[in-house]
Amino acid sequence: AYLPCYAVKEGIVQKAIAGEVVEGPFQSALSQVRESKLEDSISVRKGNGLEVISHGEVTAITICGMGGSLITSILENGKSKLSARETLILQPNIGAQFIRKWLIAEGWELKAEEILEEDEKIYEILVAEKGEPLKPYRELSFEAAELMGPFLLKEKNPIFLKKWTMELKHWNKILKQIESSENERTQEKKEEIQKSIELVEEALQ
């Protein structure tokens, strides 16, 4: 519950809900809220994903600290809880492109993106609201922007360049490892990686 505690203390929000699905983190969140003397402002609830909230109960939803595919499944499974008036603030550790695909499919428009590095780990933050889902992708290579982020691709800050240079090295290493394999599955994987390499190399030029 560090994030809701911070948001309340700083006056960013008046009230917050902290959801945890596992008993240990749930108890830790309860303790954190009690220690911060914020029981009147923060409700700690045990449950999976968005099942801890009611439809239209909140104006902003943050899902942080997990892979993009898991964040996507939480959003998909909790669609009935979204009133389309919320701001989504999503922080995937990996696989941000899965979130971008879901946002486009469900009519959510990316409003901002951030990429940052802390303790030698690189994180992306995506902010979305209901709107025109394809708007941020105009005048860009759609596939590259979906993979790398339309706002991040335009900015190309040093952390963005570092992340994708590292990804290129990683993909090239995988390609070398599977070069000798001739089965259909590895061939599909090779083609997928090669396509990603082409997109990134072109974007970094």
Side-chain angles (χ1 to χ4, degrees):
Y2 293 131
L3 181 57
C5 286
Y6 175 85
V8 170
K9 282 178 181 174
E10 294 295 313
I12 299 165
V13 300
Q14 292 177 315
K15 288 189 175 294
I17 296 160
E20 288 288 359
V21 68
V22 179
E23 181 65 22
F26 171 71
Q27 291 298 333
S28 295
L30 282 172
S31 298
Q32 181 65 28
V33 171
R34 276 197 296 266
E35 285 170 23
S36 303
K37 297 182 171 55
L38 294 173
E39 295 99 322
D40 293 340
S41 303
I42 300 173
S43 170
V44 182
R45 301 176 189 177
K46 192 176 180 187
N48 191 13
L50 302 187
E51 71 179 28
V52 299
I53 61 170
S54 304
H55 181 266
E57 185 181 13
V58 298
T59 56
I61 292 169
T62 63
I63 310 175
C64 309
M66 60 194 81
S69 56
L70 182 52
I71 290 175
T72 301
S73 69
I74 288 170
L75 291 168
E76 180 62 27
N77 295 333
K79 273 197 297 192
S80 63
K81 300 298 180 80
L82 300 172
S83 68
R85 292 192 298 272
E86 298 89 356
T87 298
L88 304 179
I89 303 163
L90 312 167
Q91 182 266 297
N93 294 343
I94 55 168
Q97 70 270 27
F98 298 118
I99 296 173
R100 294 188 189 101
K101 282 180 181 172
W102 186 89
L103 294 172
I104 291 167
E106 298 298 325
W108 293 82
E109 180 186 331
L110 264 181
K111 293 290 187 179
E113 294 177 303
E114 187 81 42
I115 189 165
L116 52 95
E117 185 175 17
E118 186 176 270
D119 297 331
E120 296 182 6
K121 289 188 175 68
I122 293 174
Y123 302 98
E124 291 179 50
I125 302 166
L126 287 66
V127 180
E129 295 173 357
K130 272 286 183 176
E132 298 178 60
L134 294 177
K135 188 179 175 183
Y137 298 88
R138 290 174 192 156
E139 300 168 19
L140 290 166
S141 158
F142 177 76
E143 286 179 307
E146 191 180 60
L147 175 65
M148 306 169 81
F151 293 97
L152 302 177
L153 189 54
K154 283 178 184 173
E155 185 188 4
K156 290 185 186 174
N157 74 22
I159 298 165
F160 172 90
L161 296 174
K162 179 179 179 180
K163 173 191 165 83
W164 291 105
T165 302
M166 283 163 54
E167 286 289 353
L168 282 177
K169 285 180 184 172
H170 176 62
W171 288 333
N172 280 308
K173 194 174 176 184
I174 293 171
L175 275 185
K176 279 185 182 174
Q177 288 170 348
I178 61 176
E179 257 173 7
S180 55
S181 303
E182 290 300 329
N183 65 59
E184 195 176 318
R185 192 176 168 190
T186 54
Q187 186 57 35
E188 281 177 18
K189 185 70 179 170
K190 277 162 77 173
E191 287 171 10
E192 184 187 313
I193 293 170
Q194 281 164 340
K195 178 65 179 170
S196 296
I197 287 171
E198 285 169 21
L199 288 171
V200 174
E201 282 181 339
E202 191 177 330
L204 295 186
Q205 279 175 3

